[in-house]
Amino acid sequence: MTMSSAARKPLVVGNWKMNTDRASALALARDVAGGSASIGDRVVVGICPPFVYLDAVVRDLQAAGSKLHVGAQDVYFEPEGAFTGEVSVGMLEDLGVEFSLTGHSERRHVLGESDELVGKKTAAAVSAGHGVILCIGETLDERRAGRTDAVNERQLRAGLAGVGAEQLSILSIAYEPVWAIGTGNTATPDDAQSAHHAIRGVIADLFGAPEADRMRVLYGGSVKPDNARELFSCPDIDGGLIGGASLKSEPFLRIALAAAETR
Ligand code: PGA
């Protein structure tokens, strides 16, 4: 599996959220594919277009022989049936979509997803060999109450409840403090490093130290070209999940280059 976290090679993924249209999605994917190919293989680069454009984007990239990885922004845990509006792991795999985000803060806090639902989605995906980036992170109130590590631990334990150690190679964690997403406020490198270190500690407790050492933990929340290098220099930050700055190829590729050059 190409998204595999071997040696924690940095991973930079663009989460396009509910943006682009068909033509701009195809153009952006092509530009990112071209630019990431010239950065080389020191960084793994992925994009998460909206569901409706996944098929067109995957086909276009395959036709161009691109190695850019394509993921979905969410996935449902049931394989099929009466679940209006949902999309299964099998449907995504059918299109050649390699991985999905689960537990993004907008799913949790705008759409009301529970820790338990995020866990079911994560387990269903990895058990089918479908990669996952499990997103976790505290709100501003939780941070102010000193509960950052406790919230991350709760979301991790629930999110990974159905995941076996043998499935970890296709799973990454994204730490995205909710107060930093789309706000222009970024965690300081020290705060982010401290959260990432604690996250790796929970993974070690659940699966063992060697597994924790192999697990990619990405940072997300207002990553931009001018703060990426500092963040990616932290020893426990293995790349980024990028929202706003992934909607144009130029800043996104500068962030990917920063990851390639710092690690
Ligand atoms: P942002 O979004 O980079 O726009 O803050 C990050 C994310 O939500 O994944």
Side-chain angles (χ1 to χ4, degrees):
M1 151 65 82
T2 40
M3 291 286 290
S4 154
S5 57
R8 276 165 56 191
K9 184 191 279 196
L11 172 64
V12 172
V13 173
N15 172 15
W16 296 359
K17 308 192 181 185
M18 199 173 73
N19 293 296
T20 68
D21 56 20
R22 185 185 164 89
S24 62
L26 285 169
L28 181 56
R30 261 181 234 150
D31 287 350
V32 170
S36 59
S38 54
I39 293 173
D41 62 3
R42 291 165 298 164
V43 57
V44 180
V45 181
I47 53 171
C48 296
F51 277 127
V52 288
Y53 304 130
L54 285 169
D55 190 27
V57 165
V58 168
R59 283 203 230 186
D60 205 53
L61 293 175
Q62 282 174 350
S66 170
K67 290 198 291 187
L68 183 62
H69 299 280
V70 179
Q73 297 171 19
D74 188 33
V75 64
Y76 198 58
F77 66 89
E78 293 283 3
E80 63 186 6
F83 304 102
T84 302
E86 295 298 332
V87 173
S88 72
V89 175
M91 290 170 179
L92 294 172
E93 287 281 316
D94 193 21
L95 299 187
V97 174
E98 282 178 78
F99 72 99
S100 296
L101 310 182
T102 61
H104 189 278
S105 80
E106 286 142 23
R107 303 291 324 167
R108 294 178 189 268
H109 298 293
V110 183
L111 284 309
E113 290 196 6
S114 67
D115 291 347
E116 189 199 0
L117 177 57
V118 174
K120 285 182 175 171
K121 292 178 173 195
T122 305
V126 293
S127 68
H130 185 72
V132 166
I133 299 175
L134 167 64
C135 307
I136 60 169
E138 84 287 3
T139 64
L140 188 55
D141 284 349
E142 290 165 339
R143 167 159 288 254
R144 286 184 174 143
R147 293 180 49 225
T148 297
D149 290 344
V151 169
N152 284 338
E153 177 163 1
R154 189 198 77 224
Q155 293 184 353
L156 274 175
R157 288 186 184 275
L160 297 172
V163 173
E166 70 287 357
Q167 295 158 343
L168 293 179
S169 66
I170 54 169
L171 187 133
S172 300
I173 307 297
Y175 168 59
E176 301 202 294
V178 179
W179 49 270
I181 295 179
T183 58
N185 301 320
T186 318
T188 64
D190 283 353
D191 283 348
Q193 166 56 29
S194 152
H196 281 231
H197 186 72
I199 287 163
R200 217 177 285 288
V202 177
I203 306 291
D205 191 49
L206 285 169
F207 298 104
E211 283 73 11
D213 208 41
R214 283 194 286 270
M215 172 80 64
R216 275 196 196 102
V217 185
L218 314 181
Y219 172 79
S222 297
V223 179
K224 308 283 180 225
D226 61 4
N227 61 23
R229 247 164 240 275
E230 231 191 339
L231 288 160
F232 298 156
S233 302
C234 298
D236 283 298
I237 300 185
D238 308 311
L241 183 56
I242 320 299
S246 73
L247 291 173
K248 291 207 166 81
S249 59
E250 191 266 339
F252 182 63
L253 290 165
R254 281 171 61 201
I255 292 168
L257 182 65
E261 289 179 349
T262 30
R263 291 299 291 276

